[in-house]
């Protein structure tokens, strides 16, 4: 099947998804509004179309709409001919209410391609009547399906998802079964955190302060990884590293910048605990990536991927912006090596059963079969 994905940019959380579709012999294309400086194009090179003059004018009046260029769209005629030439059978559209997304959806409808809208929202979340009506009308008008990689725990499912809305996980690499045994008897746990250095909501400083509270009682090391390309990122990076030095964490915390996606696997493998203290994290694929390598995860209650974590089983979910909660959860893991080892095994098992590429493809095939009567191989 010829499948077209459209999104603001080609995020690393799409890499394993694309690999699986290639493995199943699907022809995959990717159109984007912009291309980021640290993207991994090893499995697919996204195509960016020149921005239309009308879109440029709208941006001058309303602004760019953020890094994902909310008001971007290409020259409508040129993109129409490109779309007609490509003739995709299935179109997966990220964030349907952006101008580029709406353009693609209309072209797909006119060309009789099947449409799947994709957002990162809890499919069981409560919605206002306006949101509910808007999504229902969008699905009906475009004869579409809607998928999201976020779903509440079964016991929290108070609200049924909208008809034709499906949970489809973003797949991650799942390490070999013995991965969780690496460093099983380690005396010095290694903690990993990933987050763009300029985004204050990632809570780099909160993480450092938690480590500062523990450094005199336990032996551990930590690695902080983030994108550091723009001047804003470089400035925030200096603030973070200076705070680490002030807290006496020199020699305990290592900082890494602009690590390519292909090298992240070796970082997960060499660490034992993963921490994402970010608040209002829409999804947080790094949570799932860490689980796939057998790392217990500490994340916050405002992280979209929190539903993958069961307290005390494969990690901890702590209150957002809580230094006490973050410190206490870290202490439980670094103070008990046997418990850490057991939770690493449980993290890997969870990822194997819920986050693998095979699980993704099964769910995706179920969506196409139920909504469009398309049976994928």
């Amino acid at each position: 099947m010829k499948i077209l994905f459209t999104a603001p940019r080609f995020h690393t959380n799409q890499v394993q998804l694309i690999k699986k579709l290639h493995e199943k012999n699907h022809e995959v294309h990717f159109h984007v509004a912009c291309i980021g400086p640290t993207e991994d194009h090893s499995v697919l090179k996204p195509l960016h179309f020149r921005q239309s003059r009308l879109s440029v004018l709208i941006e001058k009046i309303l602004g760019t709409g953020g890094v994902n260029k909310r008001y971007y769209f290409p020259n409508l005629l040129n993109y129409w001919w490109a779309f007609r030439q490509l003739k995709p059978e299935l179109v997966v559209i990220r964030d349907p209410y952006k101008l580029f997304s709406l353009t693609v959806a209309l072209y797909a409808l006119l060309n009789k391609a099947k449409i799947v809208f994709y957002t990162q929202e809890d499919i069981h979340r409560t919605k206002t009547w306006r949101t509910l009506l808007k999504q229902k009308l969008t699905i009906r008008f475009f004869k579409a399906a809607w998928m999201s990689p976020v779903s509440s725990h079964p016991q929290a499912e108070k609200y049924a998802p909208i008809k034709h809305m499906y949970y489809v996980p973003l797949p991650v690499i799942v390490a070999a079964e013995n991965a969780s045994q690496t460093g099983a008897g380690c005396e010095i746990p290694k903690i990993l955190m990933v987050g763009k250095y300029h985004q204050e909501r990632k809570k780099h400083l909160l993480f450092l302060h938690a480590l500062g509270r523990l450094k005199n009682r336990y032996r551990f090391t930590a690695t902080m990884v983030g994108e550091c390309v723009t001047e804003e990122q470089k400035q925030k990076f200096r603030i973070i590293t200076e705070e680490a030095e002030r807290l006496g964490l020199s020699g305990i915390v290592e900082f890494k910048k602009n690590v390519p996606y292909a090298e992240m696997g070796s970082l997960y493998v060499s660490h034992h605990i993963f921490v994402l203290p970010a608040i209002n994290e829409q999804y947080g694929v790094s949570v799932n990536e860490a689980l796939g390598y057998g790392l217990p995860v500490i994340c916050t209650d405002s992280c979209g991927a929190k539903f993958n974590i069961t307290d005390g089983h494969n990690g901890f979910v702590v209150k957002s912006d809580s230094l006490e909660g973050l410190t206490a959860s870290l202490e439980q893991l670094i103070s008990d090596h046997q418990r850490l080892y057991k939770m690493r095994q449980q993290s890997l098992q969870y990822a194997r059963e819920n986050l693998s590429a095979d699980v993704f493809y099964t769910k995706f095939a179920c969506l196409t079969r139920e909504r469009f009567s398309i049976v994928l191989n």
Side-chain angles (χ1 to χ4, degrees), residues 53-253:
R53 292 181 180 179
L54 178 58
S55 174
V56 172
L57 178 61
I58 293 172
E59 286 189 347
K60 287 182 179 179
I61 298 171
L62 301 177
T64 61
V67 294
N68 289 330
K69 296 181 72 67
R70 181 178 182 83
Y71 304 112
Y72 160 87
F73 56 89
N75 178 281
L76 297 179
L77 184 59
N78 291 345
Y79 190 70
W80 168 256
W81 288 117
F83 196 97
R84 290 275 292 174
Q85 186 175 14
L86 181 61
K87 294 180 181 177
E89 300 166 82
L90 180 68
V91 182
V92 181
I93 301 172
R94 178 80 164 93
D95 292 340
Y97 302 114
K98 287 184 169 62
L99 294 182
F100 181 41
S101 301
L102 288 171
T103 301
V104 176
L106 286 170
Y107 287 4
L109 184 66
L110 292 171
N111 283 274
K112 298 182 179 180
K114 304 302 183 185
I115 300 170
V116 179
F117 293 117
Y118 160 55
T119 53
Q120 294 181 355
E121 61 181 283
D122 187 346
I123 64 172
H124 298 282
R125 72 185 178 95
T126 57
K127 299 176 182 179
T128 65
W129 69 267
R130 289 185 180 87
T131 299
L132 199 63
L133 181 62
K134 181 172 70 172
Q135 291 184 333
K136 285 183 175 181
L137 290 177
T138 302
I139 290 172
R140 177 174 294 184
F141 178 81
F142 289 103
K143 302 179 179 64
W146 197 303
M147 70 179 190
S148 171
V150 184
S151 176
S152 302
H153 283 297
Q155 61 267 29
E157 293 176 2
K158 298 179 181 178
Y159 300 91
I162 294 173
K163 188 178 181 181
H164 305 310
M165 182 175 276
Y166 301 83
Y167 166 67
V168 180
L170 286 173
V172 297
I173 294 173
V174 179
E177 193 146 355
N178 62 354
S180 61
Q181 298 176 9
T182 305
C186 68
E187 294 183 0
I188 306 179
K190 298 179 180 179
I191 308 164
L192 178 65
M193 177 190 167
V194 178
K196 292 183 176 67
Y197 285 117
H198 71 291
Q199 294 181 335
E200 291 188 10
R201 66 179 181 83
K202 297 293 186 180
K203 296 296 175 180
H204 301 86
L205 297 180
L206 184 76
F207 177 58
L208 291 176
H209 285 201
L211 298 182
R213 287 189 172 190
L214 297 168
K215 68 181 176 67
N216 293 326
R217 289 186 285 154
Y218 304 100
R219 296 179 64 198
F220 60 84
T221 61
T223 305
M224 194 176 286
V225 181
E227 183 180 288
C228 190
V229 177
T230 67
E231 284 305 314
E232 181 187 9
Q233 290 171 336
K234 292 175 182 178
Q235 180 182 0
K236 293 294 176 62
F237 178 76
R238 285 193 291 270
I239 293 172
I240 292 167
T241 53
E242 288 172 2
E243 184 67 5
E245 186 174 352
R246 188 189 72 79
L247 292 169
L249 293 170
S250 300
I252 296 176
V253 180

Side-chain angles (χ1 to χ4, degrees), residues 7-26:
R9 71 181 187 91
F10 184 64
H11 197 282
T12 54
N13 61 27
Q14 304 289 314
V15 172
Q16 298 308 315
L17 179 155
I18 300 299
K19 283 184 177 180
K20 188 62 181 182
L21 292 174
H22 282 168
E23 180 187 314
K24 291 292 185 176
N25 297 315
H26 297 290

Side-chain angles (χ1 to χ4, degrees), residues 318-336:
V318 301
K319 186 176 180 180
S320 294
D321 218 7
S322 171
L323 177 58
E324 290 73 19
L326 180 58
T327 304
S329 295
L330 276 167
E331 185 172 14
Q332 289 192 62
L333 289 172
I334 65 176
S335 65
D336 188 338

